[in-house]
Amino acid sequence: MAGRAKKVPVASEESAPQETQVSLLQGPRELPVLPVRHTVLFPFAILPLNVGRDRSVALLNAVMAGDRTIAVLAQKDGGVEDPGFSDLYETGTLGTVLRMVRFPDERYSVLVQGSERVRVLQPVADQPYLRARFEGLSETSDESVETEALIKNVLEQFERVVALMPAIPDEAVTAARNQAGSGQIADFIASLLELPAEDKQKLLETLDTKERLRLLTGVLGRELQVLEVGAQIRDQVKESLDEHQREFLLRQQLEAIRRELGEGDDGPREIEELKAKLEKAQLPADVQKEADRELMRLRTIPPQAAEHTVARTYLEWLADMPWAVLTEDDLDLKHARAVLDEDHYGLEKIKERILEYLVVRKFKADARTPILCFVGPPGTGKTSLGRSIARALGRKFVRQSLGGVRDEAEVRGHRRTYIGALPGNVIRGIRRAGSRNPLFMLDEVDKLGADYHGDPSSALLEVLDPEQNGSFTDHYLDVPFDLSQVMFITTANILDTVPPPLRDRMEVIRLAGYTDLEKLEIARRHLIPKATRENGLESLELTFTDEAVLKVVHEYSSEAGLRNLEREIANLLRKSAKESAEGKEVPRTIGPDRVRELLGPERYQNEKVQRVDVPGAALGLAWTPVGGEVLTVETALMPGQQKLILTGQLGDVMQESAQAALTYVRSHATALGIRPDFFEHSDLHVHLPTGAIPKDGPSAGITLCTAMVGLLTGRRARADLAMTGEITLQGQVLKIGGLKEKVLGAHRAGIKTVLLPRDNEGDLEEVPAEVRAGMTFAPVERIEQVLELALEPTAQTRPATAAETAAPSA
């Protein structure tokens, strides 16, 4: 392979060519062709080449046995490994192989000397190597005053270039001046410069020596600018290094002066203080070993070095961690119950779980700390409950929100090699708590993200695993820290987005929405006093009637939690305070009429119940992340081609439920009192209002079937009844999930009767007693039972529609 070559100048007058233009080629001649890459051979220049390509090796073996004359042509693209004539420039140089050396790896090193310019007339062969017919090219020279000026300018520029390029010896300037003729001067200088192959080829192809000098002037000017800028950069770097050396010497002298004055150095004192803090921290043996090693390293680092700050900060973190600090748990069950009841009304399941933990701790002091996950709609008190549990246990409380966290380093920390590195949020939270056993709340665990920085939910696997977190290793500290005494509590609105391995490590406790009575009691005990206190309205002595609170609950804050209720209570208090400040007479007791006056028209007026007033509509129950909701299903029949049209943003599972319901209706049409051919020339449209909200799940199956049967039989569904259950093609009603939330949603909407699968009958025990007392529950096993209970017994008389004309019902 012909590689990039170093140019060897003709160093003496004796090697300079004669000024005659006699061509060595006596007419056209056939010559072997040696392709070269990234370089050009000029006449009278000597070019060293490394040759390794098969055809080039074959060429050299052939010419060394003859007159050693070859034609050297440059490649247009140096990346072509096996070039043909189309890959080579037509103008090249006639050359003679002066020497060839063979290496053990079948490569050759050759020296080729150029003699004159040649041009390809006709390719002859490409095997075993390239051969072509060439003609010699003669220069045209003009030894005028302009040419002399160009020669002088080129030589001056070349001298400046040589001064800035150590690779070109100073003798090259003298050799250039001794060349015979302007053409040889230009070729000699061009052969010595590190120029792109395209620029050198252009100089080689220029036969007019005056024009060649002009081109060379421009090339030398550009090269000179690059070299001068490079020299300036080197000078600036050298000055910067000199300044740093000067600063270092001055600091050394300053330290010596301080020692002479007896002022001493703060460095050793800081190190001793760090050592004392580390001893006081009572580090574990393996951590103490690492701290001693880093402390010894710190003593050897100059205070002005950046690494000194990194090492000192690391040791400060080790010293500040509560390695041996534990708070003592308050195991008094009566005190814990009193604190939990004082802060939160209801939530009996969670309170029982905390009391169970205290009982276990009484019998076994080193009992494993539970890792709990509170799942429920927003505003149900999950976060505030964690703070209350910490107060009941007598532990420090730390909260860390995980919403939107996408970087694994937020959990595990950054390695100390990075500038500005810090431990992760877990270690930072422990340090803030100041004890090794705080209550650590990880909020919004269902909203963790993941990207190219890593998956933080995977990093939490070790933190929340009781079998592993006894030796949790943060990337920054790089030593194990015992998290087994920390009580971790996570919160989430839904569990679907929590990875199964992470979910498996936590004990899930679900918080359903509050009942009306619970909201009323919470408003009395907590929300009204809190809003009064936060707005500074104690002096007004405003009170709420129970009816006023329930009106806000029903008609201004339809939700499972308490946040909107708290906002509306605060709005009522502020509006009353505003009227008082304006000099108006303000009632001290806020009743239902006063609520309507201050908050305006009601926002929720049981609209879901009012919609079920014609056949073809039915009420179902749905679970959502913010609590249970009543779902309206509407159907309509129209002339068509047996299409089932589904609208309202239904998911795949709910669409399949609609298909199953329709199949059941068609296959049991006669038994249901429906004409069997009702679907032959009709389309059935099923719509679930609030189309902007996606809906999915199988639990609307019996609702869809009831709405279809009611439409086709003209029977209206009961307006005070809602249902939930999955339907099969055989008409069986299967078990569903989220029954408690759905029942509470029905209770908020004023529903009196709920149809549910018989397999869910046991789940009713989780529904609060006051809700069960005010509602009727009908467990069912088959869709026939649902239709009998949900649809009115007689068909409604109404005008026939076009759809009924096309497919009349029985």
Side-chain angles (χ1 to χ4, degrees):
M1 181 173 86
R4 184 182 295 274
K6 295 182 180 178
K7 290 75 182 182
V8 180
V10 180
S12 64
E13 276 190 282
E14 290 74 17
S15 63
Q18 299 300 313
E19 224 173 280
T20 58
Q21 287 291 333
V22 178
S23 173
L24 296 178
L25 294 179
Q26 302 300 323
R29 177 181 173 183
E30 184 178 321
L31 294 170
V33 178
L34 178 65
V36 295
R37 292 188 280 194
H38 309 302
T39 190
V40 171
L41 174 65
F42 284 92
F44 308 107
I46 296 176
L47 184 65
L49 297 171
N50 292 323
V51 180
R53 292 189 282 203
D54 294 338
R55 290 198 293 184
S56 299
V57 171
L59 179 148
L60 291 175
N61 289 330
V63 301
M64 292 303 290
D67 61 359
R68 301 190 178 189
T69 301
I70 60 174
V72 179
L73 298 181
Q75 289 184 208
K76 298 175 182 176
D77 182 4
V80 178
E81 283 297 326
D82 192 15
F85 283 99
S86 62
D87 301 312
L88 305 176
Y89 292 103
E90 291 184 355
T91 302
T93 306
L94 184 68
T96 303
V97 180
L98 301 179
R99 187 182 65 186
M100 182 175 74
V101 178
R102 180 176 178 180
F103 293 103
D105 58 356
E106 296 301 318
R107 288 187 305 106
Y108 293 82
S109 176
V110 298
L111 282 180
V112 182
Q113 183 174 25
S115 55
E116 69 172 316
R117 288 169 169 80
V118 292
R119 182 164 52 207
V120 176
L121 289 177
Q122 181 182 2
V124 174
D126 58 1
Q127 295 296 337
Y129 48 83
L130 300 177
R131 295 183 64 83
R133 291 179 62 79
F134 288 84
E135 67 173 350
L137 299 176
S138 300
E139 296 179 345
T140 58
S141 59
D142 178 14
E143 303 299 330
S144 62
V145 174
E146 183 181 358
T147 302
E148 291 180 6
L150 285 171
I151 292 173
K152 183 177 180 181
N153 187 42
V154 165
L155 290 173
E156 288 176 353
Q157 286 182 309
F158 181 61
E159 186 174 0
R160 292 168 61 191
V161 168
V162 170
L164 294 171
M165 286 186 66
I168 302 178
D170 295 337
E171 294 80 9
V173 178
T174 303
R177 295 183 185 278
N178 291 334
Q179 298 297 315
S182 57
Q184 291 189 26
I185 291 175
D187 290 345
F188 177 81
I189 293 175
S191 66
L192 294 177
L193 298 177
E194 289 286 344
L195 301 177
E198 293 81 6
D199 291 346
K200 287 192 173 185
Q201 182 67 29
K202 193 170 183 180
L203 290 169
L204 182 69
E205 293 175 355
T206 305
L207 301 180
D208 186 345
T209 57
K210 185 188 296 185
E211 183 62 28
R212 196 185 309 160
L213 287 169
R214 288 196 185 98
L215 289 175
L216 187 59
T217 300
V219 169
L220 285 170
R222 189 167 62 248
E223 190 74 6
L224 198 56
Q225 286 182 348
V226 173
L227 292 172
E228 287 175 347
V229 171
Q232 291 176 2
I233 293 173
R234 286 194 298 273
D235 291 340
Q236 291 172 358
V237 172
K238 185 175 182 301
E239 290 174 3
S240 177
L241 290 175
D242 292 341
E243 182 65 26
H244 286 140
Q245 292 173 353
R246 176 174 174 274
E247 181 180 351
F248 176 76
L249 291 174
L250 288 175
R251 287 187 180 278
Q252 294 293 326
Q253 293 174 5
L254 182 62
E255 290 177 6
I257 292 172
R258 283 178 175 173
R259 285 195 295 270
E260 289 295 326
L261 293 175
E263 294 180 357
D265 188 5
D266 290 339
R269 180 173 56 82
E270 290 181 357
I271 293 175
E272 292 303 320
E273 290 177 355
L274 262 178
K275 184 178 180 181
K277 286 178 65 177
L278 290 168
E279 291 175 353
K280 185 178 179 181
Q282 301 179 32
L283 308 181
D286 51 346
V287 180
Q288 184 67 54
K289 183 178 178 181
E290 178 66 20
D292 291 341
R293 187 184 68 82
E294 195 69 17
L295 198 63
M296 186 178 300
R297 179 169 165 267
L298 180 64
R299 295 179 188 275
T300 63
I301 302 175
Q304 62 270 20
E307 189 64 24
H308 185 276
T309 302
V310 174
R312 189 182 72 242
T313 304
Y314 172 69
L315 289 170
E316 288 174 349
W317 270 99
L318 288 182
D320 290 343
M321 291 299 295
W323 300 97
V325 181
L326 285 168
T327 56
E328 185 176 352
D329 284 349
D330 189 343
L331 303 180
D332 186 347
L333 298 183
K334 291 183 179 180
H335 167 75
R337 167 66 78 175
V339 170
L340 294 174
D341 288 341
E342 177 185 344
D343 292 343
H344 291 82
Y345 180 80
L347 305 178
E348 294 301 324
K349 182 182 288 188
I350 294 178
K351 293 177 181 177
E352 287 299 320
R353 182 65 185 88
I354 299 305
L355 295 177
E356 289 170 4
Y357 167 68
L358 293 180
V359 171
V360 172
R361 283 296 306 274
K362 275 191 171 185
F363 289 100
K364 191 174 189 299
D366 58 347
R368 178 180 294 176
T369 305
I371 296 175
L372 307 178
C373 178
F374 297 161
V375 181
T380 50
K382 298 182 294 297
T383 304
S384 61
L385 189 59
R387 188 175 286 103
S388 178
I389 293 172
R391 189 162 75 91
L393 297 177
R395 293 194 178 198
K396 301 290 183 65
F397 177 76
V398 181
R399 176 186 168 273
Q400 179 62 49
S401 176
L402 299 178
V405 172
R406 293 180 171 272
D407 191 351
E408 179 210 6
E410 294 286 337
V411 178
R412 283 188 168 277
H414 297 85
R415 301 191 185 279
R416 297 200 303 277
T417 52
Y418 297 106
I419 296 175
L422 282 174
N425 286 324
V426 174
I427 292 298
R428 294 211 298 268
I430 299 294
R431 183 196 188 191
R432 285 198 307 272
S435 78
R436 194 158 57 89
N437 63 337
L439 189 149
F440 204 124
M441 173 155 279
L442 298 171
D443 229 351
E444 313 292 357
V445 73
D446 57 328
K447 298 174 182 61
L448 282 169
D451 60 10
Y452 63 94
H453 289 113
D455 185 0
S457 63
S458 299
L460 280 176
L461 293 178
E462 181 183 1
V463 176
L464 299 180
D465 191 342
E467 301 293 337
Q468 302 180 39
N469 63 10
S471 57
F472 172 72
T473 302
D474 184 271
H475 286 159
Y476 181 84
L477 295 185
D478 203 25
V479 291
F481 188 88
D482 184 7
L483 298 178
S484 62
Q485 299 297 316
V486 179
M487 185 174 186
F488 287 103
I489 295 179
T490 65
T491 70
N493 296 130
I494 56 175
L495 282 178
D496 296 348
T497 57
V498 180
L502 185 60
R503 196 186 316 160
D504 183 60
R505 284 162 166 77
M506 302 181 292
E507 179 182 341
V508 177
I509 300 179
R510 297 185 179 274
L511 285 77
Y514 293 103
T515 65
D516 293 347
L517 294 179
E518 287 175 335
K519 289 182 179 181
L520 174 61
E521 193 64 31
I522 292 171
R524 283 179 186 160
R525 295 187 183 188
H526 303 287
L527 301 185
I528 296 174
K530 178 183 176 184
T532 303
R533 185 173 59 254
E534 289 182 350
N535 290 281
L537 304 178
E538 294 91 341
S539 59
L540 293 181
E541 298 181 352
L542 296 174
T543 59
F544 287 75
T545 65
D546 292 349
E547 293 77 10
V549 175
L550 291 175
K551 183 177 182 63
V552 175
V553 169
H554 292 151
E555 300 176 1
Y556 292 92
S557 62
S558 179
E559 60 176 344
L562 299 166
R563 288 202 177 116
N564 285 332
L565 175 60
E566 184 177 3
R567 292 190 189 101
E568 298 304 334
I569 288 174
N571 280 341
L572 289 169
L573 291 172
R574 287 194 299 269
K575 290 180 183 297
S576 298
K578 176 175 172 290
E579 291 183 358
S580 177
E582 291 173 348
K584 299 179 182 179
E585 185 67 29
V586 177
R588 299 304 178 189
T589 300
I590 297 177
D593 294 338
R594 181 65 173 163
V595 170
R596 176 71 167 74
E597 178 186 347
L598 294 176
L599 297 183
E602 294 82 357
R603 296 168 201 160
Y604 307 94
Q605 294 181 327
N606 293 331
E607 55 177 330
K608 298 183 177 64
V609 176
Q610 295 172 5
R611 287 181 184 174
V612 187
D613 55 2
V614 295
L619 295 178
L621 296 174
W623 179 94
T624 71
V626 296
E629 295 286 346
V630 175
L631 199 66
T632 305
V633 176
E634 299 175 345
T635 59
L637 196 68
M638 68 202 83
Q641 300 176 348
Q642 298 187 7
K643 290 182 181 178
L644 176 61
I645 304 170
L646 303 171
T647 56
Q649 278 213 67
L650 308 190
D652 293 340
V653 178
M654 187 172 282
Q655 291 183 33
E656 292 174 357
S657 295
Q659 293 280 0
L662 178 59
T663 300
Y664 173 81
V665 172
R666 294 182 65 187
S667 62
H668 296 77
T670 303
L672 294 172
I674 303 170
R675 284 185 54 175
D677 60 347
F678 78 93
F679 203 51
E680 291 297 325
H681 304 287
S682 303
D683 288 344
L684 181 62
H685 188 167
V686 178
H687 177 66
L688 277 71
T690 62
I693 302 174
K695 309 165 189 71
D696 205 359
S699 63
I702 63 173
T703 312
L704 292 164
C705 185
T706 302
M708 292 178 187
V709 174
L711 172 71
L712 298 170
T713 60
R715 298 164 64 189
R716 191 173 62 185
R718 289 173 52 187
D720 64 342
L721 180 145
M723 64 197 78
T724 180
E726 180 180 354
I727 188 174
T728 70
L729 296 179
Q730 303 300 321
Q732 294 179 336
V733 180
L734 302 184
K735 186 176 182 178
I736 47 83
L739 181 67
K740 180 180 179 182
E741 290 82 359
K742 293 176 180 179
V743 170
L744 291 178
H747 178 69
R748 286 195 300 273
I751 299 296
K752 299 301 182 183
T753 304
V754 173
L755 303 186
L756 66 150
R758 185 168 295 280
D759 291 341
N760 285 104
E761 193 172 5
D763 297 336
L764 289 174
E765 296 178 5
E766 297 182 2
V767 178
E770 63 269 20
V771 173
R772 294 201 305 268
M775 300 179 70
T776 301
F777 300 94
V780 293
E781 295 178 339
R782 294 194 55 81
I783 188 64
E784 293 86 355
Q785 297 172 280
V786 175
L787 298 175
E788 182 180 352
L789 294 171
L791 296 177
E792 295 179 352
T794 58
Q796 299 297 307
T797 302
R798 55 187 171 84
T801 64
E804 291 169 332
T805 303
S809 60

